[in-house]
Amino acid sequence: MNKKYQPIVRRFYIIVAASSIIAMAAIPAMSGEYAALEGVKSVKTVFDVIQGSPQTANIVFWAVNNVNDDKSVRALSEPPQVAVVFHGPAVKMISTNRNGFKESDNEALDKFANMIQQMKKDGVKFEVCDYALKVMGVDPKTVLPEVDHVGNGFISIAGYQAQGYSVITIN
């Protein structure tokens, strides 16, 4: 395959995969039943976000937000606890500095920033790995204000897991 088309093909496959995940999540939601929630008091989930495509993030974060907002999850005896930890290329998407992105990415980045702002208001916790910011060359001062800083995102993920959170990796 021609190397210039490889990023396009890869993005296509990511979008198809994300769309499939959303479709699979939507089918049970339409029926209003989640057998997996039987006997569950609360959903505690931490999303380990690595991928750095704003277009893909907007698709995938619909499903992330749905974990917090779904009526079946909200009907449990305890409210959901959802956290998101950004590291790797994902840290560039939560920066106000758009260097490294194409002009055509700006609309998706704005939409993603607005989604994070709303999700934060709805109780989702956001953290960014300061080590990843350094490695990826992102100025910590440019990170969206809704996102808290932690020294090492892997320690946060391990801590959430030790508290009983399920870990879901988005890469």
Side-chain angles (χ1 to χ4, degrees), residues 56-117:
T56 302
N58 282 312
I59 294 168
V60 172
F61 266 71
W62 173 89
V64 171
N65 190 40
N66 187 255
V67 170
N68 191 57
D69 289 346
D70 184 271
K71 66 180 180 178
S72 296
V73 173
R74 288 286 174 178
L76 298 173
S77 62
E78 297 175 20
Q81 297 179 46
V82 178
V84 177
V85 179
F86 295 99
H87 59 95
V91 302
K92 292 182 177 184
M93 294 189 310
I94 58 170
S95 171
T96 56
N97 183 339
R98 303 277 172 94
N99 289 341
F101 288 102
K102 299 176 205 157
E103 185 72 28
S104 60
D105 290 331
N106 284 336
E107 185 178 337
L109 288 164
D110 290 340
K111 183 178 178 183
F112 189 61
N114 290 335
M115 188 180 304
I116 287 175
Q117 186 177 38

Side-chain angles (χ1 to χ4, degrees), residues 44-63:
K44 295 169 70 172
T45 308
V46 59
F47 291 89
D48 175 15
V49 182
I50 303 163
Q51 81 81 30
S53 163
Q55 290 81 4
T56 302
N58 282 312
I59 294 168
V60 172
F61 266 71
W62 173 89

Side-chain angles (χ1 to χ4, degrees), residues 14-45:
I14 290 172
I15 290 171
V16 168
S19 298
S20 298
I21 291 169
I22 290 169
M24 287 187 288
I27 291 168
M30 286 187 257
S31 69
E33 296 180 19
Y34 289 95
L37 293 179
E38 191 172 319
V40 173
K41 292 180 182 177
S42 178
V43 171
K44 295 169 70 172
T45 308

Side-chain angles (χ1 to χ4, degrees), residues 8 25 97 118 156:
I8 294 168
N97 183 339
Q118 184 58 51
S156 274

